[in-house]
Amino acid sequence: METTMHGGARDGIVRSNGRSGVDRRQFLRVTALAGGGMLLGTWLDFGDAAAALVGDAADFTPNAFIRMTPDGLVTIIAKNPEIGQGVKTMLPMLIADELDVDWRTVRVEQASFDSDRFDNQFAGGSNATPTSWLPMRRVGAAGRHMLVTAAAQTWGVPAAECTTAPGLVRHGPTGRQLPYVELLDRAATVTAPDLESVTLKGPADFRIIGTRVPGVDNHTIVTGKPLFGIDFTVPGMLYAVFEKCPVFGGKVMSANLDEVRAAPGVRHAFVVEGGTSLSGLLGGVAIVADTWWAAKSARERVLRVTWDEGATAQQSSAGFARRADELAAGPAQRSLRTDGDFTGTFASAPHKAEGMYFYPFLSHAPLEPQNCTAHFRDGAIEIWAPTQTPESGRTLVSRTLGLDEKAITIHLLRCGGGFGRRLSNDYMVEAAWIAKEIGVPVKLVWTREDDIRHDFYRPAGFHYLSGGTDAQGRLIAWRDHFVSFGEGERFASSASIRGSEFPAGFVPNFALDASVMPSGVPTGALRAPGSNGIAFAIQCFIDELAHAAGRDPVQFRLGLLEQAGSDTGFEAARMSGVLRLVAERSGWGTQRLPRGTGQGVAFHFSHRGYFAEVVQATVSREGEVKVDKVWVAGDVGSHIINPSNAENNAQGAVLDGLSAALGQEITIERGRTVQSNFHDYPLLRLAQAPPVDVHFLTTDNAPTGLGEPALPPAIPALCNAIFAATGKRIRSLPLAKHDLSWT
């Protein structure tokens, strides 16, 4: 989910993820609909230089469609998976505004996965806004251009004399007007404009962009109608559960399948051998029954499996911690960046701090557990899945089942939360395998215990930090020996750190080193991957250095941002802007807080977003933490497309971060996950959720995404607030493991 595209695509060129970076030009294809109306789609043309890559026109890929019909309805196809981030509403808003239609006439339909028709059909990395801001607007503007041309032809006037209002074209000199519905047939015959040069609206003319638009699925959700993957059914469907080894990568040695098959309602029970890759199909026992409850009951009450647990059974969280200390005590395995002379400068620095920061494995824990429905027949398979990455899911199913990708159909269902978990498609390939075995439609549903104990976890991390300031309180020396998971020079999934990670480029004497250790625990991207842990360590240690130097934490950070050198990884002025804004909005330093109450500040750049946050927290004498309020300042460019959804994304990210900080931890013992459900992996309760006051600083930069970048600063800001309230420095998470009582 990480991206290296900093600052947005200012030139409007979107790079292809799968076409070797070849620039593409878009063109509009228009089709008249039977019964009246027109269909508009943008297509991607790689040009003559890339002809060998894309073949003939049948390989061109449209990335958006609009259907306009004589009843006045405008149907916009939503190609991207909806996982709660709001793209099913936000991207159609871009098209509808440029098309200049009344939003009340818009209907949104979810597309199925189709790599021959759609481009970049995935959800992740807060990419939807930066990659779609211009393409979606262009197709809407092209449709508006064609409708204006049709009206001008009808009236026999220059198109330049015509303008639009929602759903109609006006002729300025005469005051005549025509509704779009009367122009559709003629517009479908108009030559389509060049999408790269089509005239877009100016911001002053936006009617939908920048307004609060409710989510298109809101009514369906609040009225409890089927929408999510877990709701989906087809006639004749059976239900499946899948028992995997509690130790990651373990295999079935034996199972009492005959007894399981005799259990009430059970139709099938069989061993799935699986492979060796933790990212694919694991070995286990599948149970298929008339109802999910019958399958689950047979699994819990009857099934007995003897497992070959494998080498991972020797691993544990305690063992990882011991190994991290051993690695930190010796020379680092490699250097990721070195500037100046850290060792000499640190030795003579008048103010110093040292500390080890640790954050644990985390589970994604979406409220909707993993599920998938599949039907194998006549050598092909049809899949209905809540997935963030349908294309990689198709590849996995193709490889595992030995099917041609053209024999695999994937329908996108709304996800009940993703947070990066549904980037992995293990549940999809499990359902596909089971469906192929039994030959009838089958719905696989994981239990909550399955979901927490068989995740691709946010990897734990260990930061051994040293830093020093000069007599004026300026940061002059910094070293981080980062210990994580991997082999050789390869980090495990989402366990890496970049050489440009802050404060690289801001400290003249800087060293970032790394060492890794092997692990059998599967890891993967969790909301704001990498940043969700790294920001905790870095921003808390910066707070330590500010206090060691006797500096105000906000002023210390502003001074540090003024020290920007080369290769900083982000624009210091934008970060200073949000830091000043959040200090102003929170009243930083302007009020005397009672003992036991404190404010903490932090900032972080990730996924093209600049965010600074202040948390105010109160810690009782007994050590109970209450978050009183959070202030958020973000810079995600020049436009907030849907302010309601933008605020929700930022608020949700902050609450997600607080939830992780307060009580969440995945621990490994004997190669298996200890936690199993929300009783020992608690989510934030409503009573714990503070007000989150969100403010956006609009800047002259291309708009970027909001699903992730507001999360990372929340955790260190809370920990820094606890220090301000109690004097106790938090260097490891979760907070529930600390005694925070004070006298």
Side-chain angles (χ1 to χ4, degrees):
M1 295 173 69
E2 291 182 336
T3 176
T4 57
M5 184 177 177
H6 301 308
R10 298 189 184 188
D11 58 2
I13 296 174
V14 180
R15 305 289 179 179
S16 168
N17 287 340
R19 303 288 190 180
S20 303
V22 178
D23 291 347
R24 301 165 294 180
R25 290 184 62 81
Q26 297 176 312
F27 64 92
L28 196 72
R29 180 167 293 178
V30 185
T31 305
L33 295 173
M38 66 177 180
L39 176 73
L40 299 91
T42 60
W43 293 71
L44 303 175
D45 180 3
F46 287 81
D48 295 339
L53 287 175
V54 301
D56 58 26
D59 294 321
F60 291 155
T61 308
N63 64 10
F65 279 113
I66 307 170
R67 187 168 63 247
M68 303 181 71
T69 49
D71 58 5
L73 294 180
V74 180
T75 301
I76 300 177
I77 305 301
K79 71 180 182 69
N80 287 28
E82 176 58 80
I83 62 174
Q85 81 281 43
V87 296
K88 192 175 177 182
T89 302
M90 183 268 289
L91 296 184
M93 287 173 64
L94 300 177
I95 295 174
D97 201 328
E98 290 286 356
L99 186 59
D100 210 354
V101 294
D102 188 329
W103 181 255
R104 291 173 295 183
T105 68
V106 172
R107 302 294 181 267
V108 178
E109 292 182 2
Q110 178 66 61
S112 291
F113 170 66
D114 190 338
S115 58
D116 291 331
R117 298 175 59 209
F118 297 106
D119 182 58
N120 292 330
Q121 204 173 4
F122 72 97
S126 299
N127 280 306
T129 297
T131 59
S132 302
W133 169 249
L134 288 177
M136 297 296 99
R137 291 176 61 203
R138 283 171 176 160
V139 70
R144 172 167 46 86
H145 169 90
M146 297 174 69
L147 289 160
V148 167
T149 302
Q153 291 175 356
T154 301
W155 291 322
V157 301
E161 294 180 357
C162 300
T163 59
T164 61
L168 57 86
V169 180
R170 289 174 174 160
H171 181 231
T174 64
R176 288 178 291 180
Q177 60 185 37
L178 280 172
Y180 284 176
V181 293
E182 297 181 19
L183 296 167
L184 296 180
D185 291 343
R186 182 184 287 269
T189 68
V190 170
T191 301
D194 176 20
L195 284 177
E196 300 290 330
S197 58
V198 68
T199 301
L200 300 176
K201 284 185 177 182
D205 296 322
F206 289 159
R207 302 178 191 270
I208 298 172
I209 295 171
T211 65
R212 295 180 178 273
V213 175
V216 296
D217 288 335
N218 283 4
H219 185 267
T220 301
I221 293 171
V222 299
T223 55
K225 295 178 181 177
L227 177 67
F228 298 94
I230 204 166
D231 300 325
F232 185 77
T233 61
V234 293
M237 185 180 78
L238 298 177
Y239 295 80
V241 296
F242 191 53
E243 173 81 355
K244 294 187 283 287
C245 182
V247 176
F248 304 112
K251 297 180 177 296
V252 177
M253 294 180 65
S254 64
N256 60 332
L257 297 181
D258 290 338
E259 293 179 60
V260 174
R261 293 181 186 120
V266 172
R267 298 285 193 93
H268 307 274
F270 51 89
V271 171
V272 176
E273 294 296 338
T276 58
S277 172
L278 291 176
S279 62
L281 180 67
L282 297 182
V285 176
I287 302 174
V288 183
D290 293 325
T291 67
W292 184 75
W293 191 256
K296 176 179 179 291
S297 298
R299 174 187 181 182
E300 293 178 348
R301 300 174 183 176
V302 182
L303 179 63
R304 296 187 301 277
V305 185
T306 300
W307 301 100
D308 176 0
E309 295 185 346
T312 302
Q314 307 303 313
Q315 297 181 350
S316 68
S317 291
F320 292 144
R322 287 193 297 270
R323 181 57 181 154
D325 283 341
E326 292 170 358
L327 290 169
Q333 294 170 356
R334 57 187 166 129
S335 169
L336 301 181
R337 177 165 174 161
T338 301
D339 297 331
D341 174 19
F342 165 78
T343 302
T345 306
F346 178 73
S348 60
H351 306 292
K352 302 176 185 178
E354 295 183 273
M356 189 279 279
Y357 279 79
F358 164 76
Y359 43 86
F361 292 103
L362 290 181
S363 175
H364 297 81
L367 289 184
E368 178 194 32
Q370 310 315 307
N371 64 89
C372 183
T373 302
H375 187 192
F376 183 86
R377 54 185 168 182
D378 302 326
I381 192 163
E382 191 170 10
I383 294 170
W384 296 265
T387 174
Q388 294 180 239
T389 52
E391 185 165 16
S392 63
R394 183 181 64 178
T395 300
L396 185 61
V397 170
S398 171
R399 182 174 66 242
T400 306
L401 272 64
L403 295 175
D404 189 292
E405 288 192 354
K406 294 181 180 179
I408 303 169
T409 300
I410 299 176
H411 304 285
L412 300 181
L413 302 179
R414 181 163 177 139
C415 304
F419 315 115
R421 176 58 181 92
R422 288 180 162 98
L423 295 171
S424 303
N425 291 287
D426 46 338
Y427 54 94
M428 185 189 296
V429 75
E430 289 173 4
W433 185 277
I434 295 168
K436 187 179 180 183
E437 286 284 325
I438 66 175
V440 298
V442 62
K443 180 177 183 176
L444 171 71
V445 180
W446 288 21
T447 65
R448 179 70 60 199
E449 290 78 7
D450 291 333
D451 211 29
I452 289 180
R453 288 182 166 169
H454 291 283
D455 203 346
F456 291 83
Y457 302 102
R458 189 283 300 273
F462 306 81
H463 293 257
Y464 297 80
L465 290 155
S466 304
T469 68
D470 63 16
Q472 289 74 43
R474 293 187 295 261
L475 184 57
I476 56 173
W478 176 285
R479 183 192 185 227
D480 182 0
H481 185 173
F482 174 57
V483 179
S484 186
F485 301 96
E487 295 185 22
E489 295 196 356
R490 183 185 63 82
F491 285 107
S493 178
S494 292
S496 63
I497 191 171
R498 298 174 299 177
S500 60
E501 189 66 63
F502 184 79
F506 293 86
V507 184
N509 304 284
F510 177 90
L512 177 57
D513 301 321
S515 298
V516 297
M517 54 184 145
S519 167
V521 179
T523 61
L526 184 144
R527 192 174 193 174
S531 299
N532 52 46
I534 292 169
F536 158 66
I538 290 175
Q539 287 291 317
C540 284
F541 191 60
I542 286 175
D543 218 62
E544 285 201 55
L545 289 164
H547 284 277
R551 297 281 306 279
D552 172 81
V554 167
Q555 294 304 316
F556 184 80
R557 286 171 171 81
L558 288 171
L560 180 55
L561 290 168
E562 291 173 358
Q563 297 177 192
S566 61
D567 190 21
T568 60
F570 64 83
E571 296 177 40
R574 296 180 71 182
M575 192 63 80
S576 294
V578 294
L579 183 55
R580 288 190 172 93
L581 178 59
V582 80
E584 174 192 339
R585 294 295 184 177
S586 64
W588 180 270
T590 63
Q591 53 188 319
R592 186 179 182 87
L593 299 174
R595 191 176 178 197
T597 297
Q599 286 190 340
V601 64
F603 66 72
H604 194 74
F605 171 81
S606 72
H607 296 84
R608 309 177 180 93
Y610 295 77
F611 276 83
E613 296 168 18
V614 169
V615 170
Q616 182 170 308
T618 297
V619 183
S620 70
R621 291 183 180 275
E622 295 73 30
E624 183 177 349
V625 178
K626 177 181 181 294
V627 182
D628 302 317
K629 189 170 182 177
V630 182
W631 293 266
V632 177
D635 175 357
V636 288
S638 57
H639 292 87
I640 303 300
I641 298 167
N642 186 348
S644 178
N645 187 65
E647 290 171 4
N648 290 343
N649 267 282
Q651 291 166 339
V654 167
L655 297 179
D656 213 1
L658 298 180
S659 184
L662 288 169
Q664 293 178 0
E665 178 180 29
I666 290 296
T667 52
I668 306 300
E669 291 182 6
R670 296 183 296 119
R672 65 199 77 204
T673 297
V674 173
Q675 291 73 22
S676 63
N677 210 313
F678 292 149
H679 70 286
D680 54 5
Y681 192 81
L683 301 186
L684 194 74
R685 300 289 184 175
L686 284 174
Q688 295 174 290
V692 181
D693 189 13
V694 179
H695 302 273
F696 292 107
L697 184 66
T698 56
T699 57
D700 187 20
N701 294 279
T704 54
L706 269 165
E708 291 158 299
L711 187 152
I715 299 173
L718 171 59
C719 294
N720 292 336
I722 291 172
F723 172 78
T726 66
K728 293 190 173 184
R729 181 63 68 182
I730 306 299
R731 292 192 180 126
S732 66
L733 296 173
L735 295 170
K737 298 181 73 171
H738 292 268
D739 177 7
L740 298 177
S741 60
W742 56 274
T743 57

